[in-house]
Amino acid sequence: QVQLVELGGGSVQAGGSLRLSCVGSGNSISAYCMGWFRQVPGKEREGITTIDWDGRIWYAAPVTGRFTISKDNSVNTLYLEMNSLSPEDTAMYYCAARPGGRCIGDLSAVAYHYWGQGTQVTVSS
C-alpha cells in the first residue's frame, strides 16, 4: 500500500500560480499510476491529469496548457504546477494512486485505490 499526503494548497488571485505536492509513504509511487483530481461541493470528483510509471502524461481539457504534472521518485513525491488560475479552478485537490503503473489516461476516480486527504485551492477574481 501507499499512503498519500497533499501539501501546498491555499488562496491565490486569478492569474496566479500554485504548486501542489503529494508525498507518498509506504510503497514507492514509482510503481503506481498517479493522478490528480479535484472536487467542488455538490459535484463529482473530476480527474484532471495522470502520469504513468514511465512518465507518460495525460491532461483533461480544462487544464491543458495551464497545469503540469510531474514526479520525483527519489523523494517519493508527485507534483502539480498550476498556472493561469481562474475562479473555476477553486476546489479540493486530491492525489491518487492505483497499482499497475499504467494509467492509460484513465481519469475515473473509481479506478484509483489510494487517496490523500485533499488540499483546498481557492482562486479569487
Side-chain angles (χ1 to χ4, degrees), residues 59-83:
Y59 293 102
V63 305
T64 298
R66 301 188 300 121
F67 290 12
T68 302
I69 189 172
S70 63
K71 62 178 180 173
D72 186 340
N73 292 333
S74 69
V75 293
N76 219 28
T77 301
L78 178 74
Y79 301 99
L80 183 65
E81 185 75 34
M82 304 185 293
N83 298 312

Side-chain angles (χ1 to χ4, degrees), residues 8 12 15 33 35 50 53 84 86 103:
V12 64
C33 153
T50 65
W53 69 274
S84 301
S86 71
C103 303

Side-chain angles (χ1 to χ4, degrees), residues 4-89:
L4 304 171
V5 177
E6 299 94 341
L7 303 168
S11 297
V12 64
Q13 289 191 328
S17 299
L18 279 175
R19 187 192 198 201
L20 305 183
S21 300
C22 170
V23 182
S25 61
N27 287 345
S28 171
I29 65 170
S30 64
Y32 293 86
C33 153
M34 302 295 298
W36 285 99
F37 294 75
R38 64 186 182 185
Q39 189 171 24
V40 298
K43 292 190 176 181
E44 292 188 356
R45 194 164 293 187
E46 173 191 23
I48 56 176
T49 182
T50 65
I51 185 168
D52 287 13
W53 69 274
D54 61 355
R56 189 174 303 186
I57 291 171
W58 280 264
Y59 293 102
V63 305
T64 298
R66 301 188 300 121
F67 290 12
T68 302
I69 189 172
S70 63
K71 62 178 180 173
D72 186 340
N73 292 333
S74 69
V75 293
N76 219 28
T77 301
L78 178 74
Y79 301 99
L80 183 65
E81 185 75 34
M82 304 185 293
N83 298 312
S84 301
L85 285 162
S86 71
E88 289 70 34
D89 295 314

Side-chain angles (χ1 to χ4, degrees), residues 97-108:
R98 74 178 198 191
R102 184 68 71 191
C103 303
I104 321 175
D106 191 343
L107 297 172
S108 301

